[in-house]
């Protein structure tokens, strides 16, 4: 196994154990508001610290980009991108859809990815050029050739309410073409589900790098594609993402493009 992947797995499982311990005490947790509809608990912070401790013990010169503690510079061109608890709102309500997301990139190219669902003990992993796995078994994106009959994942732009009208227009036109839509509330896990074929495709507005870094590599290694709303590769910059197999991605892009405002046309 790739040594860096092994470290990421160790860190994700350690964070997952902390999250599960905190689940039963969630009503007693200290919760802070970071922004509009954006919450953080002591579980998020403690899980992130445990991840960083594992990584820095193995790779003390690597840079860190983490949701709660921000950016830490390193002496090498490696950067770990960490979301210790993706789906905090679900976690705080006891809604069982949240995950740990850890990725490593070298010179801006993703090399290692882990998305871990601690409740189901499902571990999604990928190393560049070595495929993607779920609990050690190879996974592939859906082979569905069109949106007809497709199950598509999405996320509401709850932090970016200036895009609500455009998003609802996308939602309406998409719903008319697919079998159904899903909005579970953990983008990292949604992307892992695209990689494993549980969702045929996915789109969302306004994600952060830590929401999608691991998931994008999982999808690429599982035979899928990821793009921004312009069909390019600036999704880390724009936060706007589409994912699926090549035909599904193209179909989603063609479906939502007429609904895009100028601010979203990239």
């Amino acid at each position: 196994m790739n040594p860096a992947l092994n470290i990421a797995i160790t860190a994700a499982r350690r964070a997952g154990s902390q999250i599960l311990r905190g689940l039963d005490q969630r009503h007693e947790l200290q919760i802070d508001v970071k922004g509009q509809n954006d919450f953080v608990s002591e579980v998020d912070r403690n899980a992130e610290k445990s991840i960083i401790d594992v990584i820095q013990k193995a790779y003390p010169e690597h840079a860190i980009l983490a949701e709660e503690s921000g950016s830490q510079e390193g002496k090498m061109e490696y950067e770990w991108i960490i979301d210790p608890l993706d789906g905090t709102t679900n976690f705080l309500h006891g809604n069982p859809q949240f995950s740990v997301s850890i990725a490593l990139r070298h010179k801006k190219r993703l090399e290692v990815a882990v998305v871990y669902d601690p409740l189901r003990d499902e571990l999604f992993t990928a190393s560049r050029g070595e495929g993607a796995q779920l609990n050690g078994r190879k996974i592939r994106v859906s082979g569905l050739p069109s949106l007809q009959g497709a199950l598509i994942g999405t996320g509401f732009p709850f932090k970016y309410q200036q895009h609500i009208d455009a998003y609802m227009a996308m939602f309406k036109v998409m719903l008319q073409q697919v079998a159904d839509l899903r909005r579970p509330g953990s983008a990292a896990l949604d992307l892992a589900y695209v990689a494993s074929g549980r969702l045929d495709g996915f789109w969302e507005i306004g994600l952060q790098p830590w929401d999608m870094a691991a998931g994008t590599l999982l999808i690429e290694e599982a035979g899928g594609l990821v793009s921004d709303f312009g069909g390019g590769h600036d999704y880390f910059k724009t936060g706007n993402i589409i994912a699926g197999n090549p035909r599904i991605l193209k179909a989603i892009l063609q479906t939502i493009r007429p609904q895009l405002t100028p601010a979203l046309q990239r």
Side-chain angles (χ1 to χ4, degrees):
M1 181 181 293
N2 183 315
L5 179 60
N6 195 37
I7 292 298
I9 290 171
T10 298
R13 288 196 178 277
R14 186 170 297 181
S17 295
Q18 289 189 320
I19 291 167
L20 292 181
R21 287 196 299 270
L23 189 61
D24 291 335
Q25 287 87 41
R26 66 186 184 279
H27 299 298
E28 304 168 12
L29 297 175
Q30 178 183 338
I31 302 168
D32 297 321
V33 179
K34 296 191 291 183
Q36 186 176 27
N37 300 320
D38 193 5
F39 307 99
V40 60
S41 74
E42 57 194 278
V43 170
D44 298 70
R45 295 190 177 102
N46 291 339
E48 183 172 289
K49 183 180 184 303
S50 73
I51 292 169
I52 292 173
D53 286 347
V54 170
I55 291 171
Q56 289 187 330
K57 184 177 180 180
Y59 300 108
E61 296 187 338
H62 286 193
I64 302 284
L65 176 62
E67 178 175 14
E68 309 308 336
S69 59
S71 179
Q72 301 178 35
E73 293 186 0
K75 297 179 180 179
M76 301 176 67
E77 293 184 274
Y78 288 90
E79 181 181 45
W80 293 85
I81 306 173
I82 300 163
D83 192 338
L85 177 50
D86 186 58
T88 297
T89 300
N90 280 346
F91 170 81
L92 293 174
H93 286 79
N95 189 321
Q97 192 78 2
F98 46 82
S99 60
V100 180
S101 177
I102 303 173
L104 173 65
R105 62 182 175 183
H106 180 236
K107 297 181 179 179
K108 305 300 181 181
R109 189 176 83 158
L110 292 164
E111 298 292 343
V112 162
V114 170
V115 174
Y116 180 51
D117 178 347
L119 275 175
R120 299 176 180 85
D121 193 26
E122 290 192 332
L123 185 73
F124 299 85
T125 60
S127 296
R128 180 166 294 280
E130 298 180 12
Q133 296 83 34
L134 167 55
N135 290 346
R137 299 183 67 177
K138 188 174 182 178
I139 53 176
R140 296 288 295 177
V141 295
S142 160
L144 203 66
S146 72
L147 291 180
Q148 184 176 1
L151 182 63
I152 302 296
T154 187
F156 302 139
F158 60 94
K159 298 179 187 176
Y160 306 98
Q161 298 196 7
Q162 70 271 27
H163 298 311
I164 285 179
D165 289 343
Y167 174 79
M168 293 310 296
M170 297 177 205
F171 191 95
K172 180 179 179 180
V173 71
M174 189 71 69
L175 188 58
Q176 294 170 344
Q177 297 196 43
V178 302
D180 211 342
L181 298 173
R182 293 288 182 269
R183 198 283 180 194
S186 170
L189 208 50
D190 293 340
L191 293 170
Y193 279 17
V194 173
S196 60
R198 293 177 178 177
L199 291 172
D200 297 297
F202 177 82
W203 94 97
E204 188 163 350
I205 294 170
L207 293 178
Q208 297 295 328
W210 45 79
D211 297 318
M212 51 183 165
T216 58
L217 183 60
L218 285 169
I219 290 168
E220 290 171 355
E221 287 296 318
L225 295 176
V226 181
S227 83
D228 56 29
F229 286 0
H233 296 93
D234 285 336
Y235 41 87
F236 281 122
K237 180 179 179 180
T238 67
N240 306 325
I241 188 171
I242 303 172
N245 71 41
R247 290 183 179 180
I248 291 291
L249 184 145
K250 182 178 179 181
I252 294 174
L253 184 60
Q254 291 175 338
T255 299
I256 69 171
R257 182 172 282 162
Q259 319 306 324
L260 297 176
T261 61
L264 293 172
Q265 292 175 350
R266 49 194 174 89

